[in-house]
Each structure stands twice: as structure tokens, then as C-alpha cells.
Amino acid sequence: MPFFIFIMFVVAEMIRADTCKAWCSALTFSHGRCGPTNRIPPGISKMQHVIFGNLLDLYEFHHNTFLKELEKYEHMPEEFGRCFVTWAVKFQFYVDYCKNHPRSSKLNMVLSQNYFD
């Protein structure tokens, strides 16, 4: 298989398959659960920033920007990398999310133990 065709398959897989669209779907579900219009139980409302971190920032970036940008390059795989370079600054969202994840996991574990006790 020529390299160009291989790259086209990789690009299509990232856009259509379980990669970006599934991530956006998961973020959409989370946004629906923890979005600003939903009620957070009073006992954890002050911990919301630790529990969810910057999940809403990730959702907004993927839903409103990144997936649409990736789709622009679906038929121009040789330009696909440009999308990542253009939006490189926004990938700081992932760094922030990963830094918060241990705190979030620990707090979720404590809260779930209290809930089931």
C-alpha cells in the first residue's frame, strides 16, 4: 500500500471511528452531567473543580473547534499535521487535565466510599 493511501486511512480513522468522535461523545455526556445548568449536590459543589477539572474546556475545544478542523483535512492527509500545529497551544488542556486526574480520582474514591457506607 502506498504511504499516501495509508495516511488517508489513518486520517479517516481518527475522524470517523472511535477516536475523535467517541471522545466528543464522551465529553458531551460529561458536559450534560456536570454542565453549569445542572445541579451538583451541595456536599460536593465546592469540590467540583477538583472532580471535573477542566473537562468542560476539553469539551468546548473538541466539540466547537478541533473535530471540525480535523474534518477539513480528511481529503488532504498531507496537510493533516497542520491542524495539530495550529492548535498546539490548546493541548495544554490535556496537560492540565492529566495533572488534576490523580486528585480527582482520589476525591472520587473518598466520596464513593462515603456514599456506599
Side-chain angles (χ1 to χ4, degrees):
M1 169 185 314
F3 186 70
F4 183 76
I5 293 173
F6 173 74
I7 296 297
M8 286 183 65
F9 282 120
V10 170
V11 170
E13 180 69 17
M14 284 188 71
I15 295 169
R16 284 192 217 123
D18 296 335
T19 317
C20 289
K21 287 191 178 175
W23 178 236
C24 285
S25 294
L27 290 173
T28 300
F29 176 79
S30 297
H31 183 264
R33 296 280 186 214
C34 64
T37 59
N38 292 356
R39 291 174 34 138
I40 302 295
I44 64 170
S45 64
K46 292 181 181 176
M47 298 176 242
Q48 185 175 357
H49 68 285
V50 175
I51 294 169
F52 299 112
N54 65 339
L55 197 60
L56 295 179
D57 293 330
L58 283 168
Y59 165 78
E60 289 172 3
F61 171 59
H62 273 275
H63 186 263
N64 297 329
T65 306
F66 197 61
L67 182 58
K68 293 172 186 170
E69 288 293 313
L70 290 177
E71 288 172 341
K72 287 181 186 178
Y73 294 104
E74 184 172 4
H75 300 291
M76 299 180 298
E78 68 279 3
E79 298 292 325
F80 191 66
R82 185 180 310 259
C83 187
F84 290 89
V85 172
T86 300
W87 297 102
V89 173
K90 294 290 188 176
F91 288 107
Q92 180 65 35
F93 287 145
Y94 289 100
V95 173
D96 298 340
Y97 179 81
C98 290
K99 284 181 179 177
N100 181 64
H101 192 267
R103 289 178 55 213
S104 174
S105 295
K106 185 176 181 179
L107 183 57
N108 279 315
M109 205 160 48
V110 168
L111 292 172
S112 66
Q113 285 174 344
N114 292 339
Y115 180 79
F116 291 109
D117 284 344

